[in-house]
Amino acid sequence: MLVAVLIGTGGSEGVPVPGCVCPACNEARIYHFAKRRTASVFVTSYGTSIMVDMSLDASEYVEEMYLDAVLITHWHHDHIAGLYKFRWIEKPVDLYAPSGDVDPEIRHFPKSLRIRYVKPFEKIDLGDMEVTPLPLNHTIETFGYLIEVGRKENIAILYDTKLLPRETEELLKKKGVRVALIDATTAPGSHDPKHNNVDEAVEIGKRIGAEEIVLTHISHRNLPFSRLVKYVRERWDNVYVSYDGMMVYVV
Ligand SMILES: [Zn+2]
Ligand SMILES: [Zn+2]
Ligand SMILES: [Zn+2]
């Protein structure tokens, strides 16, 4: 069994953004379930446990968890800020990350982190998990990760990206993805050169044939939570809007 716990599901600003009175931020102040921490996901097979990305907001959680490794998708601050604190962990932990644009503070003073640079499609064995780094389309070198346990259980984590490079799409199509967590930063119909809007995120999921598509990395530039859920429910059956604390099971 594979379980993903979506600790943070927001874009780099989180929701609400301090001082912002847009509909998404206002809704999140009234209904706490619509608040979003910055992106981090805990994945466990109950044999192996990892974090993918370590946002500032994830720090409070990892004190409670045992982690075999941390994987970083890219070195943008919203995905790595929690490493500043986490690197003081008592026992050494492997940190898998792209070699492009490494945060200088972490590179020079990794403390207990053992940094290991990943290469496109070069598999990483982590206990009973096999992890494949997948190149994505973003502003700096960025990898999604396909996490597999055995032949049938897998989760693809695909942020931050604007659609997918062809080789990544082809590999995922071949694998038969059970659950895909996909960057859906902005509202339907909007354009951002480095992130998907909601429709583009769903298009990715459909093209790779994912059984379940979970929209995540959702910013306040997207629809407010309740309107986004309505938009998705009216159009698709196997697409879900993530929320902080959401648990996704692959059995
Ligand atoms: Zn991001
Ligand atoms: Zn806002
Ligand atoms: Zn980014």
Side-chain angles (χ1 to χ4, degrees), residues 29 133 141 181 184 199 204 212 222 241 245:
R29 288 190 190 95
E141 189 182 24
L181 311 184
D199 295 318
I204 287 176
E212 291 185 356
N222 211 317
V241 177

Side-chain angles (χ1 to χ4, degrees), residues 10-12 38-39 53 73-74 76-79 138 159-160 183 185 195 217:
S12 59
T38 44
D53 288 338
T73 58
H74 65 304
H76 275 160
H77 70 97
D78 49 327
H79 298 257
H138 198 40
Y159 51 63
D160 295 357
D183 175 335
T185 303
H195 291 286
H217 200 279

Side-chain angles (χ1 to χ4, degrees), residues 165-175 208:
R166 210 180 53 197
E167 308 94 297
T168 295
E169 190 176 305
E170 292 302 319
L171 181 132
L172 291 172
K173 235 188 243 176
K174 253 188 258 161
K175 285 282 180 180
I208 61 174

